[in-house]
Amino acid sequence: ASVRRIHTPAQEVSWLTAWINNNPFKFGVGVTTTKTVCADMFVQKVIEKRDWDARRTMLFACFGFSFQGSFQYGLINWVIEPTFPGKSLRNIVTKILCMNLIVDPILFLPTFYSFREAMV
């Protein structure tokens, strides 16, 4: 009879942690796309209490993948973080202000509303 090795929970997910560390872009885009799809489906079914609109969900998936996943990943990791590196209080506040006062009104909102107009 073979002996079954017992693994701790940390050992069971170590392969996943290693994959995430080796593929941060893929992981980030995947999580963001999934989150966007789930949020839209939740809003449709629970908040709006309507039948599922697959076209709308696919548009949100495209938005989550392209803007929130891909573009923002690059912006944060290749522009904002190198410009304001580290975890000092000043740089953390600067990064937050940069995202909320510059990126969101100038890039995020126009892109979001452009995707939203495509639903009409």
Side-chain angles (χ1 to χ4, degrees), residues 75-99 102-103:
L75 179 69
I76 291 166
N77 289 287
W78 301 325
V79 177
I80 293 175
E81 185 59 36
T83 305
F84 308 105
K87 296 179 181 174
S88 69
L89 180 59
R90 179 180 180 191
N91 283 359
I92 290 171
V93 170
T94 303
K95 290 179 231 186
I96 292 168
L97 291 173
C98 182
M99 289 300 293
I102 298 170
V103 174

PDB file of all heavy atoms in Angstrom, residues 75-99 102-103:
ATOM      1  N   LEU A  75      -0.103  51.097 -15.950  1.00  0.00           N
ATOM      2  CA  LEU A  75      -0.005  52.454 -15.406  1.00  0.00           C
ATOM      3  C   LEU A  75       0.519  52.441 -13.973  1.00  0.00           C
ATOM      4  O   LEU A  75       1.446  53.181 -13.625  1.00  0.00           O
ATOM      5  CB  LEU A  75      -1.370  53.141 -15.460  1.00  0.00           C
ATOM      6  CG  LEU A  75      -1.431  54.564 -14.907  1.00  0.00           C
ATOM      7  CD1 LEU A  75      -0.652  55.508 -15.816  1.00  0.00           C
ATOM      8  CD2 LEU A  75      -2.866  55.007 -14.782  1.00  0.00           C
ATOM      9  N   ILE A  76      -0.039  51.585 -13.160  1.00  0.00           N
ATOM     10  CA  ILE A  76       0.356  51.547 -11.751  1.00  0.00           C
ATOM     11  C   ILE A  76       1.771  50.988 -11.588  1.00  0.00           C
ATOM     12  O   ILE A  76       2.586  51.545 -10.854  1.00  0.00           O
ATOM     13  CB  ILE A  76      -0.666  50.739 -10.923  1.00  0.00           C
ATOM     14  CG1 ILE A  76      -1.981  51.517 -10.852  1.00  0.00           C
ATOM     15  CG2 ILE A  76      -0.136  50.432  -9.523  1.00  0.00           C
ATOM     16  CD1 ILE A  76      -3.165  50.711 -10.370  1.00  0.00           C
ATOM     17  N   ASN A  77       2.066  49.890 -12.276  1.00  0.00           N
ATOM     18  CA  ASN A  77       3.349  49.219 -12.064  1.00  0.00           C
ATOM     19  C   ASN A  77       4.504  49.820 -12.845  1.00  0.00           C
ATOM     20  O   ASN A  77       5.654  49.693 -12.411  1.00  0.00           O
ATOM     21  CB  ASN A  77       3.215  47.732 -12.387  1.00  0.00           C
ATOM     22  CG  ASN A  77       2.393  47.031 -11.337  1.00  0.00           C
ATOM     23  OD1 ASN A  77       2.848  46.822 -10.235  1.00  0.00           O
ATOM     24  ND2 ASN A  77       1.154  46.709 -11.685  1.00  0.00           N
ATOM     25  N   TRP A  78       4.231  50.443 -13.983  1.00  0.00           N
ATOM     26  CA  TRP A  78       5.330  50.940 -14.813  1.00  0.00           C
ATOM     27  C   TRP A  78       5.439  52.460 -14.836  1.00  0.00           C
ATOM     28  O   TRP A  78       6.410  52.996 -15.341  1.00  0.00           O
ATOM     29  CB  TRP A  78       5.201  50.396 -16.228  1.00  0.00           C
ATOM     30  CG  TRP A  78       5.224  48.895 -16.283  1.00  0.00           C
ATOM     31  CD1 TRP A  78       5.950  48.059 -15.480  1.00  0.00           C
ATOM     32  CD2 TRP A  78       4.484  48.051 -17.141  1.00  0.00           C
ATOM     33  NE1 TRP A  78       5.694  46.749 -15.796  1.00  0.00           N
ATOM     34  CE2 TRP A  78       4.797  46.713 -16.831  1.00  0.00           C
ATOM     35  CE3 TRP A  78       3.565  48.293 -18.165  1.00  0.00           C
ATOM     36  CZ2 TRP A  78       4.242  45.635 -17.490  1.00  0.00           C
ATOM     37  CZ3 TRP A  78       3.018  47.205 -18.825  1.00  0.00           C
ATOM     38  CH2 TRP A  78       3.362  45.902 -18.484  1.00  0.00           C
ATOM     39  N   VAL A  79       4.430  53.162 -14.309  1.00  0.00           N
ATOM     40  CA  VAL A  79       4.484  54.628 -14.288  1.00  0.00           C
ATOM     41  C   VAL A  79       4.388  55.166 -12.857  1.00  0.00           C
ATOM     42  O   VAL A  79       5.293  55.842 -12.382  1.00  0.00           O
ATOM     43  CB  VAL A  79       3.376  55.252 -15.177  1.00  0.00           C
ATOM     44  CG1 VAL A  79       3.401  56.760 -15.078  1.00  0.00           C
ATOM     45  CG2 VAL A  79       3.506  54.795 -16.619  1.00  0.00           C
ATOM     46  N   ILE A  80       3.282  54.868 -12.179  1.00  0.00           N
ATOM     47  CA  ILE A  80       3.035  55.478 -10.874  1.00  0.00           C
ATOM     48  C   ILE A  80       4.005  54.963  -9.810  1.00  0.00           C
ATOM     49  O   ILE A  80       4.607  55.761  -9.086  1.00  0.00           O
ATOM     50  CB  ILE A  80       1.567  55.289 -10.453  1.00  0.00           C
ATOM     51  CG1 ILE A  80       0.672  56.105 -11.402  1.00  0.00           C
ATOM     52  CG2 ILE A  80       1.348  55.715  -9.008  1.00  0.00           C
ATOM     53  CD1 ILE A  80      -0.799  55.929 -11.190  1.00  0.00           C
ATOM     54  N   GLU A  81       4.170  53.665  -9.710  1.00  0.00           N
ATOM     55  CA  GLU A  81       5.068  53.122  -8.683  1.00  0.00           C
ATOM     56  C   GLU A  81       6.518  53.559  -8.892  1.00  0.00           C
ATOM     57  O   GLU A  81       7.166  53.977  -7.925  1.00  0.00           O
ATOM     58  CB  GLU A  81       4.957  51.598  -8.601  1.00  0.00           C
ATOM     59  CG  GLU A  81       5.756  50.978  -7.478  1.00  0.00           C
ATOM     60  CD  GLU A  81       5.387  51.478  -6.086  1.00  0.00           C
ATOM     61  OE1 GLU A  81       4.198  51.751  -5.822  1.00  0.00           O
ATOM     62  OE2 GLU A  81       6.304  51.610  -5.258  1.00  0.00           O
ATOM     63  N   PRO A  82       7.060  53.509 -10.114  1.00  0.00           N
ATOM     64  CA  PRO A  82       8.438  54.011 -10.281  1.00  0.00           C
ATOM     65  C   PRO A  82       8.571  55.518 -10.024  1.00  0.00           C
ATOM     66  O   PRO A  82       9.618  55.986  -9.585  1.00  0.00           O
ATOM     67  CB  PRO A  82       8.773  53.687 -11.735  1.00  0.00           C
ATOM     68  CG  PRO A  82       7.859  52.585 -12.110  1.00  0.00           C
ATOM     69  CD  PRO A  82       6.595  52.822 -11.321  1.00  0.00           C
ATOM     70  N   THR A  83       7.511  56.268 -10.296  1.00  0.00           N
ATOM     71  CA  THR A  83       7.559  57.714 -10.074  1.00  0.00           C
ATOM     72  C   THR A  83       7.501  58.050  -8.588  1.00  0.00           C
ATOM     73  O   THR A  83       8.164  58.984  -8.130  1.00  0.00           O
ATOM     74  CB  THR A  83       6.392  58.405 -10.817  1.00  0.00           C
ATOM     75  OG1 THR A  83       6.449  58.034 -12.195  1.00  0.00           O
ATOM     76  CG2 THR A  83       6.484  59.911 -10.705  1.00  0.00           C
ATOM     77  N   PHE A  84       6.707  57.291  -7.833  1.00  0.00           N
ATOM     78  CA  PHE A  84       6.557  57.502  -6.385  1.00  0.00           C
ATOM     79  C   PHE A  84       6.822  56.184  -5.665  1.00  0.00           C
ATOM     80  O   PHE A  84       5.905  55.558  -5.147  1.00  0.00           O
ATOM     81  CB  PHE A  84       5.152  58.012  -6.052  1.00  0.00           C
ATOM     82  CG  PHE A  84       4.730  59.200  -6.853  1.00  0.00           C
ATOM     83  CD1 PHE A  84       3.810  59.066  -7.892  1.00  0.00           C
ATOM     84  CD2 PHE A  84       5.261  60.457  -6.598  1.00  0.00           C
ATOM     85  CE1 PHE A  84       3.419  60.157  -8.654  1.00  0.00           C
ATOM     86  CE2 PHE A  84       4.878  61.557  -7.354  1.00  0.00           C
ATOM     87  CZ  PHE A  84       3.965  61.405  -8.379  1.00  0.00           C
ATOM     88  N   PRO A  85       8.073  55.727  -5.645  1.00  0.00           N
ATOM     89  CA  PRO A  85       8.377  54.390  -5.116  1.00  0.00           C
ATOM     90  C   PRO A  85       8.267  54.322  -3.588  1.00  0.00           C
ATOM     91  O   PRO A  85       8.374  55.326  -2.893  1.00  0.00           O
ATOM     92  CB  PRO A  85       9.818  54.155  -5.561  1.00  0.00           C
ATOM     93  CG  PRO A  85      10.406  55.519  -5.653  1.00  0.00           C
ATOM     94  CD  PRO A  85       9.274  56.420  -6.110  1.00  0.00           C
ATOM     95  N   GLY A  86       8.056  53.121  -3.126  1.00  0.00           N
ATOM     96  CA  GLY A  86       8.113  52.877  -1.697  1.00  0.00           C
ATOM     97  C   GLY A  86       6.801  53.036  -0.973  1.00  0.00           C
ATOM     98  O   GLY A  86       5.753  53.259  -1.578  1.00  0.00           O
ATOM     99  N   LYS A  87       6.909  52.908   0.341  1.00  0.00           N
ATOM    100  CA  LYS A  87       5.711  52.907   1.185  1.00  0.00           C
ATOM    101  C   LYS A  87       5.735  54.009   2.225  1.00  0.00           C
ATOM    102  O   LYS A  87       5.137  53.878   3.287  1.00  0.00           O
ATOM    103  CB  LYS A  87       5.579  51.539   1.854  1.00  0.00           C
ATOM    104  CG  LYS A  87       5.363  50.428   0.852  1.00  0.00           C
ATOM    105  CD  LYS A  87       5.268  49.082   1.512  1.00  0.00           C
ATOM    106  CE  LYS A  87       5.076  48.028   0.433  1.00  0.00           C
ATOM    107  NZ  LYS A  87       5.104  46.681   0.953  1.00  0.00           N
ATOM    108  N   SER A  88       6.413  55.085   1.913  1.00  0.00           N
ATOM    109  CA  SER A  88       6.366  56.217   2.843  1.00  0.00           C
ATOM    110  C   SER A  88       4.964  56.813   2.793  1.00  0.00           C
ATOM    111  O   SER A  88       4.258  56.712   1.785  1.00  0.00           O
ATOM    112  CB  SER A  88       7.391  57.279   2.453  1.00  0.00           C
ATOM    113  OG  SER A  88       7.023  57.918   1.249  1.00  0.00           O
ATOM    114  N   LEU A  89       4.561  57.433   3.869  1.00  0.00           N
ATOM    115  CA  LEU A  89       3.224  58.020   3.931  1.00  0.00           C
ATOM    116  C   LEU A  89       3.026  59.023   2.800  1.00  0.00           C
ATOM    117  O   LEU A  89       1.977  59.045   2.146  1.00  0.00           O
ATOM    118  CB  LEU A  89       2.982  58.684   5.287  1.00  0.00           C
ATOM    119  CG  LEU A  89       1.610  59.330   5.473  1.00  0.00           C
ATOM    120  CD1 LEU A  89       0.508  58.288   5.301  1.00  0.00           C
ATOM    121  CD2 LEU A  89       1.522  60.000   6.832  1.00  0.00           C
ATOM    122  N   ARG A  90       4.047  59.817   2.540  1.00  0.00           N
ATOM    123  CA  ARG A  90       3.954  60.831   1.480  1.00  0.00           C
ATOM    124  C   ARG A  90       3.704  60.177   0.108  1.00  0.00           C
ATOM    125  O   ARG A  90       2.841  60.625  -0.640  1.00  0.00           O
ATOM    126  CB  ARG A  90       5.225  61.663   1.441  1.00  0.00           C
ATOM    127  CG  ARG A  90       5.194  62.702   0.360  1.00  0.00           C
ATOM    128  CD  ARG A  90       6.448  63.514   0.340  1.00  0.00           C
ATOM    129  NE  ARG A  90       6.349  64.508  -0.727  1.00  0.00           N
ATOM    130  CZ  ARG A  90       7.348  65.233  -1.131  1.00  0.00           C
ATOM    131  NH1 ARG A  90       8.528  65.117  -0.583  1.00  0.00           N
ATOM    132  NH2 ARG A  90       7.175  66.093  -2.105  1.00  0.00           N
ATOM    133  N   ASN A  91       4.455  59.132  -0.213  1.00  0.00           N
ATOM    134  CA  ASN A  91       4.282  58.491  -1.518  1.00  0.00           C
ATOM    135  C   ASN A  91       2.967  57.726  -1.623  1.00  0.00           C
ATOM    136  O   ASN A  91       2.359  57.690  -2.687  1.00  0.00           O
ATOM    137  CB  ASN A  91       5.471  57.591  -1.833  1.00  0.00           C
ATOM    138  CG  ASN A  91       6.680  58.380  -2.278  1.00  0.00           C
ATOM    139  OD1 ASN A  91       6.638  59.607  -2.372  1.00  0.00           O
ATOM    140  ND2 ASN A  91       7.769  57.703  -2.553  1.00  0.00           N
ATOM    141  N   ILE A  92       2.527  57.123  -0.540  1.00  0.00           N
ATOM    142  CA  ILE A  92       1.229  56.430  -0.561  1.00  0.00           C
ATOM    143  C   ILE A  92       0.110  57.428  -0.820  1.00  0.00           C
ATOM    144  O   ILE A  92      -0.755  57.202  -1.673  1.00  0.00           O
ATOM    145  CB  ILE A  92       1.001  55.660   0.757  1.00  0.00           C
ATOM    146  CG1 ILE A  92       1.948  54.475   0.838  1.00  0.00           C
ATOM    147  CG2 ILE A  92      -0.452  55.200   0.875  1.00  0.00           C
ATOM    148  CD1 ILE A  92       1.964  53.774   2.178  1.00  0.00           C
ATOM    149  N   VAL A  93       0.127  58.543  -0.100  1.00  0.00           N
ATOM    150  CA  VAL A  93      -0.900  59.569  -0.292  1.00  0.00           C
ATOM    151  C   VAL A  93      -0.816  60.129  -1.715  1.00  0.00           C
ATOM    152  O   VAL A  93      -1.850  60.348  -2.369  1.00  0.00           O
ATOM    153  CB  VAL A  93      -0.768  60.682   0.773  1.00  0.00           C
ATOM    154  CG1 VAL A  93      -1.657  61.875   0.440  1.00  0.00           C
ATOM    155  CG2 VAL A  93      -1.108  60.128   2.151  1.00  0.00           C
ATOM    156  N   THR A  94       0.389  60.344  -2.224  1.00  0.00           N
ATOM    157  CA  THR A  94       0.564  60.855  -3.585  1.00  0.00           C
ATOM    158  C   THR A  94      -0.012  59.888  -4.616  1.00  0.00           C
ATOM    159  O   THR A  94      -0.686  60.308  -5.559  1.00  0.00           O
ATOM    160  CB  THR A  94       2.060  61.124  -3.882  1.00  0.00           C
ATOM    161  OG1 THR A  94       2.553  62.036  -2.907  1.00  0.00           O
ATOM    162  CG2 THR A  94       2.247  61.692  -5.264  1.00  0.00           C
ATOM    163  N   LYS A  95       0.228  58.596  -4.441  1.00  0.00           N
ATOM    164  CA  LYS A  95      -0.316  57.591  -5.369  1.00  0.00           C
ATOM    165  C   LYS A  95      -1.850  57.592  -5.336  1.00  0.00           C
ATOM    166  O   LYS A  95      -2.496  57.515  -6.380  1.00  0.00           O
ATOM    167  CB  LYS A  95       0.219  56.196  -5.028  1.00  0.00           C
ATOM    168  CG  LYS A  95       1.685  56.004  -5.337  1.00  0.00           C
ATOM    169  CD  LYS A  95       2.117  54.614  -4.956  1.00  0.00           C
ATOM    170  CE  LYS A  95       3.343  54.656  -4.096  1.00  0.00           C
ATOM    171  NZ  LYS A  95       3.912  53.356  -3.801  1.00  0.00           N
ATOM    172  N   ILE A  96      -2.412  57.666  -4.141  1.00  0.00           N
ATOM    173  CA  ILE A  96      -3.866  57.701  -4.005  1.00  0.00           C
ATOM    174  C   ILE A  96      -4.443  58.944  -4.677  1.00  0.00           C
ATOM    175  O   ILE A  96      -5.421  58.865  -5.436  1.00  0.00           O
ATOM    176  CB  ILE A  96      -4.283  57.632  -2.521  1.00  0.00           C
ATOM    177  CG1 ILE A  96      -3.933  56.259  -1.954  1.00  0.00           C
ATOM    178  CG2 ILE A  96      -5.765  57.935  -2.346  1.00  0.00           C
ATOM    179  CD1 ILE A  96      -4.044  56.172  -0.438  1.00  0.00           C
ATOM    180  N   LEU A  97      -3.831  60.093  -4.413  1.00  0.00           N
ATOM    181  CA  LEU A  97      -4.307  61.330  -5.032  1.00  0.00           C
ATOM    182  C   LEU A  97      -4.147  61.290  -6.551  1.00  0.00           C
ATOM    183  O   LEU A  97      -5.031  61.755  -7.281  1.00  0.00           O
ATOM    184  CB  LEU A  97      -3.555  62.529  -4.449  1.00  0.00           C
ATOM    185  CG  LEU A  97      -3.878  62.858  -2.991  1.00  0.00           C
ATOM    186  CD1 LEU A  97      -2.954  63.957  -2.478  1.00  0.00           C
ATOM    187  CD2 LEU A  97      -5.332  63.235  -2.824  1.00  0.00           C
ATOM    188  N   CYS A  98      -3.059  60.735  -7.028  1.00  0.00           N
ATOM    189  CA  CYS A  98      -2.830  60.618  -8.472  1.00  0.00           C
ATOM    190  C   CYS A  98      -3.937  59.789  -9.133  1.00  0.00           C
ATOM    191  O   CYS A  98      -4.491  60.177 -10.159  1.00  0.00           O
ATOM    192  CB  CYS A  98      -1.464  59.991  -8.713  1.00  0.00           C
ATOM    193  SG  CYS A  98      -1.015  59.843 -10.440  1.00  0.00           S
ATOM    194  N   MET A  99      -4.268  58.657  -8.521  1.00  0.00           N
ATOM    195  CA  MET A  99      -5.317  57.803  -9.088  1.00  0.00           C
ATOM    196  C   MET A  99      -6.683  58.483  -9.013  1.00  0.00           C
ATOM    197  O   MET A  99      -7.438  58.454  -9.980  1.00  0.00           O
ATOM    198  CB  MET A  99      -5.371  56.456  -8.357  1.00  0.00           C
ATOM    199  CG  MET A  99      -4.192  55.543  -8.629  1.00  0.00           C
ATOM    200  SD  MET A  99      -3.984  55.104 -10.373  1.00  0.00           S
ATOM    201  CE  MET A  99      -5.423  54.104 -10.662  1.00  0.00           C
ATOM    202  N   ILE A 102      -6.434  62.406 -10.884  1.00  0.00           N
ATOM    203  CA  ILE A 102      -5.948  62.523 -12.266  1.00  0.00           C
ATOM    204  C   ILE A 102      -6.439  61.354 -13.124  1.00  0.00           C
ATOM    205  O   ILE A 102      -7.141  61.550 -14.104  1.00  0.00           O
ATOM    206  CB  ILE A 102      -4.401  62.617 -12.302  1.00  0.00           C
ATOM    207  CG1 ILE A 102      -3.933  63.866 -11.552  1.00  0.00           C
ATOM    208  CG2 ILE A 102      -3.898  62.626 -13.745  1.00  0.00           C
ATOM    209  CD1 ILE A 102      -2.442  63.930 -11.319  1.00  0.00           C
ATOM    210  N   VAL A 103      -6.076  60.145 -12.733  1.00  0.00           N
ATOM    211  CA  VAL A 103      -6.375  58.974 -13.571  1.00  0.00           C
ATOM    212  C   VAL A 103      -7.879  58.735 -13.694  1.00  0.00           C
ATOM    213  O   VAL A 103      -8.395  58.566 -14.809  1.00  0.00           O
ATOM    214  CB  VAL A 103      -5.659  57.720 -13.030  1.00  0.00           C
ATOM    215  CG1 VAL A 103      -6.079  56.477 -13.804  1.00  0.00           C
ATOM    216  CG2 VAL A 103      -4.154  57.907 -13.092  1.00  0.00           C
TER     217      VAL A 103
END
